[in-house]
Amino acid sequence: QVRLVESGGGLVQPGGSLRLSCAASGSILSINDMGWYLQAPGKQRELVAGITRGGSTNYADSVKGRFTISRDNAKNTVYLQMNSLKPEDTAVYYCNAEVILVRTFDKRTYWGQGTQVTVSS
């Protein structure tokens, strides 16, 4: 099995910064795309940023210029550096990863448990 564990969320004032991390572990041969999503109360989960294994990135318009996604393939870890945070960034943030499993070579998508980010004064 594969497990994704997020860390780095918390309470921050408007204009502040946070760095989220998500480490994958388990029966991993390799990881293709990785990404960060957010889900605000009463709303659907939406993409914040994605990154391919080769490092190509894409961002939601609302976070362009403020957030940066990166990854360390050797550590099976993806990061989200969030700067100039706004109250509307408040949400639960989830990471996901498209994993190629050892032995079976199956391709499956896994999700982390989520980490709360609250931007408030």
Side-chain angles (χ1 to χ4, degrees):
Q1 277 294 349
V2 173
R3 187 181 181 203
L4 272 61
V5 178
E6 297 126 337
S7 60
L11 173 64
V12 64
Q13 291 187 341
S17 298
L18 284 174
R19 188 188 193 216
L20 305 183
S21 299
C22 172
S25 62
S27 303
I28 299 170
L29 179 62
S30 66
I31 301 178
N32 293 335
D33 295 349
M34 302 184 83
W36 287 96
Y37 290 72
L38 65 82
Q39 188 164 20
K43 295 188 177 182
Q44 290 187 331
R45 194 173 298 186
E46 58 187 62
L47 176 70
V48 176
I51 185 168
T52 67
R53 182 170 181 82
S56 297
T57 59
N58 64 288
Y59 296 92
D61 288 343
S62 59
V63 306
K64 284 180 180 177
R66 299 189 299 124
F67 291 10
T68 302
I69 189 171
S70 61
R71 64 189 284 174
D72 184 332
N73 290 332
K75 295 181 179 180
N76 289 332
T77 300
V78 63
Y79 306 95
L80 186 68
Q81 178 67 44
M82 304 187 293
N83 299 328
S84 303
L85 282 160
K86 305 175 181 179
E88 50 264 44
D89 295 321
T90 296
V92 178
Y93 284 71
Y94 298 89
C95 67
N96 85 339
E98 185 181 76
V99 176
I100 308 299
L101 300 174
V102 298
R103 290 188 290 277
T104 64
F105 304 104
D106 287 344
K107 185 190 302 181
R108 297 186 183 174
T109 297
Y110 293 88
W111 291 87
Q113 80 285 358
T115 185
Q116 176 70 45
V117 171
T118 302
V119 185
S120 175
S121 55

